[in-house]
Structures are given as C-alpha cells and as structure tokens.
Amino acid sequence: MPYHKNKQQAFQAAQQGMEDAQELYHEIVRDSANYGHQLKHLKQEVNEAYEQIENALEVASETQRTQLEKFQQDLSAIVNEVNQYH
C-alpha cells in the first residue's frame, strides 16, 4: 500500500486495516480444519494494520493519534489472545 501523506487518508487506511484484522479475528473458528491457514492470514492482516498505523502516526493530528494508539492496543490484545491458544 502506498504511503499516504494526507492525514485523513493515512488515518482511514489504518482504521480499515484495524477493521480487517478484527473481522478476521472474529471469524476464526479455533477447531476448524482451516485454523492454521486462517491464523496465518490473521497474522498478515495484523502486521499490515500495524504498518498502516505507524505510517498514519507520522502525519496524524492529536485526535487521530489517540485513536491510532487505541488501535495499537486493540491489535496487541488480539495477538495476546491468539498466542494463548498455542
């Protein structure tokens, strides 16, 4: 994904990345035959979301920064939850 200089675009990309990661996390069925594949996909989404958040933080307004930091905390919670099942 290209780096966004525009604050709003960068924030929206980070927000979308966060939503994608959360949606995938909620879809994972732990006892599913596809769990390993789903987990790999989730890790990719989380990594992309982290990257988008970092990019957005470089140009974020103070209000956006607060929300972006919340996104980072939410992603950390997802990673911690997933790691508990391994």
Side-chain angles (χ1 to χ4, degrees):
M1 164 161 247
Y3 176 73
H4 297 292
K5 286 288 185 190
N6 179 290
K7 289 179 186 179
Q8 191 60 33
Q9 285 180 319
F11 180 80
Q12 289 172 343
Q15 187 173 35
Q16 185 63 51
M18 181 67 206
E19 290 170 4
D20 292 347
Q22 285 178 321
E23 183 177 319
L24 189 59
Y25 169 71
H26 291 299
E27 287 177 7
I28 287 181
V29 179
R30 297 194 197 300
D31 58 355
S32 164
N34 292 325
Y35 179 69
H37 175 74
Q38 290 173 327
L39 185 61
K40 183 178 178 183
H41 190 105
L42 175 61
K43 287 179 181 180
Q44 288 175 306
E45 289 292 334
V46 166
N47 287 335
E48 284 180 29
Y50 269 125
E51 188 175 316
Q52 291 165 333
I53 290 167
E54 288 299 319
N55 287 342
L57 280 168
E58 292 179 19
V59 295
S61 68
E62 198 53 45
T63 304
Q64 290 171 333
R65 182 172 304 282
T66 301
Q67 186 61 49
L68 291 166
E69 289 168 353
K70 169 95 170 67
F71 291 164
Q72 286 177 318
Q73 292 170 359
D74 292 347
L75 283 175
S76 292
I78 288 173
V79 170
N80 290 338
E81 177 106 6
V82 169
N83 286 340
Q84 287 180 11
Y85 291 96
H86 288 279

